[in-house]
Amino acid sequence: MLINIKGVLYMTHYRLTAKRWHAIQTNDHHADGQFFYAVASTGIFCRPSCASRLPQRQNVRIFKTSAEALAAGFRPCKRCTPTGRPLSDAAWSAEIKQIIERHYASELNLNELAQLAHGAPYYLHHKFTTVTGQTPQQYLTQVRLAHARHFLTTTTLSISAIAQRCGWPNANYFSTLFKRQIGISPRQYREKKATHATHD
């Protein structure tokens, strides 16, 4: 729904009534076409009948048309194709990357990622790998390592705290993986960057 404030059009959403919430909870296909729901935490919008995991109620936004949801910045679900057009593999892979980048610090296994991206785990793994040339796990590791390097050079957090913040509950595993990927340990990386900064 568009509202006009001092000559500027703003997109808003409709009320999540008990009836609409029940339709989402029960994947009611009779409600398809009556409204669409978007999930603020994933940036994806669906038909009421979508079989994806039930979102938290406070994250749900209601729209009357798919065009409204798109105008509000939400992306169509790969599973239920709310726009009537299938999402391309390239667009879905870009969406999966964004999900990984938002949730990298959580325990993000393939099943959880598939739930967030509204697809089947094996299918997601296959399509993402085909499009990007790396598995979702490899991309997740790349994102986590980038954040770890940032924390090592911009904070005084302990190695263990950085590991936790980047999604690795085991600090020893983080250090081993970091050294295998980067070539030196996290501590050595921090010291090396600190030395370079001093000499610059």
Side-chain angles (χ1 to χ4, degrees):
M1 180 169 63
L2 290 170
I3 57 173
N4 191 313
I5 301 176
K6 295 182 179 180
V8 179
L9 290 175
Y10 293 89
M11 179 64 62
T12 185
H13 53 84
Y14 299 83
R15 196 162 62 88
L16 177 57
T17 62
K19 184 178 178 181
R20 287 170 176 160
W21 179 238
H22 180 71
I24 295 168
Q25 287 178 304
T26 58
N27 308 126
D28 185 1
H29 65 90
H30 296 295
D32 286 355
Q34 297 178 22
F35 71 93
F36 297 84
Y37 76 91
V39 183
S41 58
T42 64
I44 296 171
F45 75 95
C46 300
R47 303 175 190 271
S49 64
C50 187
S52 298
R53 185 173 63 185
L54 184 68
Q56 294 184 3
R57 183 168 181 161
Q58 67 266 26
N59 290 330
V60 173
R61 307 289 181 267
I62 300 296
F63 299 95
K64 288 289 184 66
T65 67
S66 60
E68 287 178 351
L70 288 167
F74 291 97
R75 303 178 302 281
C77 171
K78 177 76 168 178
R79 178 175 290 179
C80 69
T81 59
T83 61
R85 297 187 302 274
L87 189 66
S88 72
D89 293 343
W92 195 36
S93 295
E95 179 180 295
I96 293 164
K97 282 186 173 183
Q98 291 178 351
I99 292 170
I100 290 172
E101 287 157 9
R102 281 200 302 270
H103 297 272
Y104 74 92
S106 63
E107 187 179 338
L108 196 59
N109 57 37
L110 184 59
N111 287 333
E112 179 67 16
L113 180 59
Q115 288 283 357
L116 291 170
H118 295 196
Y122 174 79
Y123 184 71
L124 180 150
H125 186 278
H126 171 70
K127 291 297 183 182
F128 186 88
T129 304
T130 300
V131 170
T132 67
Q134 56 186 163
T135 68
Q137 182 61 47
Q138 287 171 332
Y139 187 74
L140 173 60
T141 298
Q142 175 185 315
V143 170
R144 284 175 169 172
L145 285 172
H147 283 280
R149 291 197 299 270
H150 173 75
F151 290 135
L152 285 166
T153 56
T154 61
T155 74
T156 57
L157 290 170
S158 68
I159 303 300
S160 179
I162 290 172
Q164 291 274 352
R165 187 170 288 196
C166 293
W168 287 294
N170 187 313
N172 288 333
Y173 176 77
F174 161 61
S175 295
T176 300
L177 180 64
F178 189 97
K179 187 170 185 177
R180 185 176 2 173
Q181 296 284 336
I182 308 301
I184 54 178
S185 71
R187 194 172 306 283
Q188 290 169 327
Y189 183 88
R190 171 176 270 170
E191 291 170 353
K192 182 178 179 181
K193 290 296 180 179
T195 300
H196 286 172
T198 302
H199 291 162
D200 286 345

